[in-house]
């Protein structure tokens, strides 16, 4: 059901997420450690911010497996950014291979990705679409549950009051609540797996959430510190001092470095622009 | 705005449509004769019927240009069928390259393709979706106007009374009428270009239709005869006698053979299983 | 290091190899049972013979994983043949994703596939090329060891005397010997893994071979009987009687059916047109 | 037979070459002005230098047409470089669609692209390969004449004395001479079309060359000035003053700006790091 990683901090090379770590996102595309089925080979996507040129993040997506995409390796080598999202996909059904179905999704300065599944999405899709504004509706190009959730996100970004990371967190909270409500109404009893990451290019929020009883949800980890460095193939987070730092939020630890903290079940992770984080409970 | 061809008659090789004729579908993918912009390089698709194995036609679609697809050349060489649909695509906007957006579209024993454009589709899309049954709605995987029209077709196949080719023709007639009505309601003044081909695996209907004043619509031709033969790269229709024959309905003549009749503006072409045809006016 | 399967017998649907069996070739593309690394997701290829239309087999190859290729599923449903080769690829190095590098390889009526590796191929490549006729040299389009071995096969098909399946077997024997000799001369000590399948459209030969001490070579199995049938997702070989039968030669058993015999280390499998087989030792 | 453009000067956005100009490289992929056949839809490639991170240029290549590649549009928006090569491909024969066959070609800090054709390449290929060092031979991954010419370039970069742009020019001169000699020996009378661009990441050389009598060769233009600016879709070169400037070398003028000078038949263009140029005759 996919893997993702988000980095916010001083600029790093894309390779520090997708290639260099022992459990890099490319590695997770064929040999994920924390999934029953270790394969996430149905496409991938990367979003990164280039604030000196544009508020809109750059997007590179492909339906091919991450592990054999030569262009991804090239970009990993030359792209630097202070804010990067990376996603590898395991399609939940046949026939959905298109770039439009690859995460991250993007609109304006916002980027979003999802790891999980909306139970009974076939029943939920029409009532979900009926709730959307025309603007959010028009942005949907593919047919994944995740892109439909992003449309909800876009509408909630307009409707939900607030600023900065608290705003992003409140939006995720409301999208989770809406999704749970839609499933309850139209696909009662189906489980939801809603691990999200959302950013506005400056701050970020993520969540780990499930309605499945007796299950903590798809795995999600957080790692913070002074700086994230990859040297000679070893990637680690320098121990934190005060002030501006680095944050990684990832479906699985990227490295064997200690300091990867599991995000508790049904929690929000709020990532501030200075690289500090706060965990808060998330109620449906 | 795309090119298509439909063949019904005694089994022929796929190459007789896509490769051998001087103005084959592959040729039309890069050098269409009858369009201002001669390029239809944004993917292609082929559907063909194999009645001894399945009522559901086989489908081969790709986002690559038809002219350099090696697998298409291979299939052209070894596929034989009595009923073949072929389509080359010129995408009307950026970002829509996916197999789901390539024609023909298929459901059960029905196959459908479109050459044209629904004016103001962005305004029409939501009200169109609202008219669909859940079954037709659920089949939509991409975001083209054409696939949405096919969803209307599927609903009209259920609702419209009738049998065989007359049924197919009545369905096209009603889909044209619905589309024109939707545009009038939600995108007043926008033109529609609605050249369709629809088959149930046994008979077929096609139409040439536009609401654009002073314009005959996207080109459409019909060619009938005793048998369609391609020898040494020359393709021609043998002169008709009585009884079972062959029919080609195509956006452009495939060959320099005389006998390609233009389909009049706003007309239906009804193709019976025995290879005979009837042209009927089509009113919106 | 790839997986392959060859079928010879009464016509079957392609799905009986690639989709229906519990350990189908598509299944082996992501969950191979007999490999340390279960993934063969770097492209695939199918060759099948259509004797009523051509001596040259049809070829369908793609760089995408077999498991999510919609067109492969379509062909699996409508292609029937008495002689089918199927291959899923695990690329041995980065950067080689092209259809030209996908097996099977084909020339005229011959089709060939390989599972394994030529040790020290970088050292062997130039002297191997130097041995080729211009005709064989000119056919090489990619840069895999396997396609270079097929070029050796093509030359040996000309040079080696004999007829039918004995000829095919003698050719494989000589290509193995040449390869071992080239490695001994230019990459001494490197191991060879040479599991081949070769057919002329009527009969077939396969081999399991390695120079690696203490290792039986990449796995290879053979299954023969009266007929190979797949019903309701269960595939099995009907018990043999006399006369014409069916043969499967496959890297792994496709089914849990008993009767899959491992091919001994360094052996040839000769498959006659009547579906009977003979195993013979293969010396380098 | 392909189109290319090279830029050297103060950093510009990639979009200034591939998207913004009225006759951009993307435009030339489907509507080249200066070719009988206006289509260059068989893949594309971009190389750009990121000197702060690596001497080795970044490479982005794809077999899809440039005009509908969403990832190319994204990179065009966020990539900036002082030295960019862009190429759109028209394959000279069927079956060669692979990233390995797309230009530019790269090794270490060198990047190279070709527009043209080696006459009788099938006859020339083996003797050309025989001249290569093992190092150059090993780098060939595809089967285009262009990549083989790059292998000659790599060997000449070692063998030819000199420094900087004079060295690059001398190398092109010798590769042209070697190619002409090989064709004379092995494919007498076949014409050569050898428009090249070669850079070491600091300076660049290009050439326009043909052996075809009565023909000036594939078109090539040069444009120099103070700075190349694209604003609101209009791209132009600011009038030169003294000191460091900008250079464009392109198969076709990218803009309707005056100042595009045709490179004379059989000439070298030497582009210095300061953005000044010198034209010199090139003799085979």
């Amino acid at each position: 059901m996919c893997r993702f990683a988000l980095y916010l901090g001083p600029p790093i090379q894309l390779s520090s997420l997708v290639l260099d770590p022992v459990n890099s996102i490319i590695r997770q595309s064929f040999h994920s450690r924390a999934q029953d089925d270790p394969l996430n080979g149905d496409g991938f996507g990367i979003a990164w911010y280039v604030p000196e040129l544009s508020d809109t993040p750059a997007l590179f997506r492909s339906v091919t497996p991450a592990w054999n995409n030569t262009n991804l390796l090239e970009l990993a080598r030359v792209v630097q950014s202070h804010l990067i999202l990376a996603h590898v996909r395991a399609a939940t059904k046949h026939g959905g291979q298109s770039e439009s179905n690859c995460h991250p999704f993007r609109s304006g300065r916002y980027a979003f990705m999802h790891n999980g599944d909306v139970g009974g999405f076939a029943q939920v899709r029409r009532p979900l679409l009926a709730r959307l504004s025309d603007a959010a509706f028009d942005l949907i190009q593919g047919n994944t549950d995740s892109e439909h959730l992003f449309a909800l996100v876009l509408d909630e970004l307009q409707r939900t009051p607030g600023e900065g990371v608290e705003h992003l967190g409140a939006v995720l909270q409301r999208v989770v609540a809406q999704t749970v409500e839609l499933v309850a109404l139209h696909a009662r009893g189906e489980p939801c797996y809603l691990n999200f990451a959302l950013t506005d290019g400056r701050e970020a929020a993520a969540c780990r959430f499930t309605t499945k009883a007796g299950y903590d949800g798809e795995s999600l980890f957080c790692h913070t510190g002074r700086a994230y460095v990859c040297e000679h193939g070893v990637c680690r987070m320098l121990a934190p001092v005060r002030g501006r730092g680095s944050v990684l939020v990832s479906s699985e630890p990227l490295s064997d470095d200690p300091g990867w903290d599991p995000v508790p079940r049904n929690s929000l992770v709020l990532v501030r622009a200075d690289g500090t984080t706060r965990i808060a409970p998330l109620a449906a």
Side-chain angles (χ1 to χ4, degrees), chain A:
Chain A
M1 285 209 248
C2 310
R3 301 280 87 176
F4 69 57
L6 175 146
Y7 170 83
L8 184 150
I12 57 168
Q13 271 177 259
L14 182 49
S15 60
S16 300
L17 283 188
V18 306
L19 192 61
D20 299 340
V22 63
N23 193 34
S24 70
I25 278 289
I26 283 182
R27 177 79 188 171
Q28 292 179 45
S29 76
F30 65 91
H31 214 259
S32 153
R33 293 176 173 184
Q35 292 177 295
D36 290 341
D37 184 337
L39 187 57
N40 297 284
D42 297 310
F44 68 90
I46 312 284
W48 69 99
Y49 287 82
V50 189
E52 63 274 24
L53 284 174
S54 173
D55 286 339
T56 302
L59 203 54
F60 179 69
R61 302 191 293 185
S62 173
V63 298
T64 67
W67 72 75
N68 69 18
N69 191 289
T70 305
N71 289 320
L72 175 60
L73 288 193
E74 285 294 308
L75 292 180
R77 204 167 57 77
V78 299
V79 164
Q80 279 190 313
S81 176
H82 76 288
L83 181 44
I84 304 171
L85 297 86
H87 187 279
V88 288
R89 183 169 182 239
T92 41
K93 59 181 178 179
H94 207 281
Q97 276 65 48
S98 77
E99 289 175 16
S100 299
N101 284 346
C102 292
H103 312 221
F105 303 101
R106 176 192 67 183
S107 179
R109 64 188 217 255
Y110 297 99
F112 171 82
M113 53 192 175
H114 172 215
N115 158 221
D117 191 35
V118 175
F121 180 63
Q123 287 77 55
V124 169
R125 189 179 179 194
R126 289 194 94 168
L128 187 160
L129 286 172
R131 293 186 176 196
L132 297 178
S133 71
D134 282 349
F137 177 90
D138 286 348
L139 290 170
I140 298 179
Q141 293 193 294
N143 62 345
T144 61
D145 54 359
S146 305
E147 195 185 15
H148 287 70
L149 295 175
F150 181 49
L152 286 180
V153 165
L154 292 174
D155 275 345
E156 289 301 335
L157 282 165
Q158 300 299 318
R159 288 179 200 136
T160 308
E163 293 237 327
V165 67
E166 300 295 333
H167 184 228
L168 298 176
V171 164
L172 290 191
Q173 164 78 56
R174 289 175 68 152
V175 169
V176 166
Q178 281 213 48
T179 308
V180 170
E181 180 196 3
L182 282 162
V183 171
L185 288 170
H186 304 285
R188 178 169 295 280
E190 292 285 343
C192 285
Y193 308 96
L194 304 176
N195 286 18
F196 296 150
L198 173 66
T199 176
D200 60 4
R202 209 176 145 268
E203 305 194 289
C207 68
R208 182 188 194 188
F209 182 84
T210 187
T211 55
K212 175 88 168 179
Y215 178 58
D216 281 350
E218 293 281 292
S219 61
L220 191 67
F221 291 83
C222 193
H223 200 1
T224 60
R226 184 155 46 97
Y228 175 60
V229 293
C230 293
E231 290 170 334
H232 313 302
V234 177
C235 296
R236 66 211 159 84
M237 190 68 91
L238 299 186
V241 286
R242 59 192 162 312
R244 182 178 177 79
S246 291
V247 182
L248 285 161
V249 181
S250 179
S251 301
E252 305 185 7
L254 299 177
S255 65
D256 296 326
D257 203 31
W260 287 95
D261 294 317
V263 174
R265 183 183 198 268
N266 296 4
S267 299
L268 272 173
V269 184
L270 303 179
V271 182
R272 295 187 201 92
D274 67 0
T276 59
T277 61
R278 184 167 71 84
I279 306 281
L282 185 155

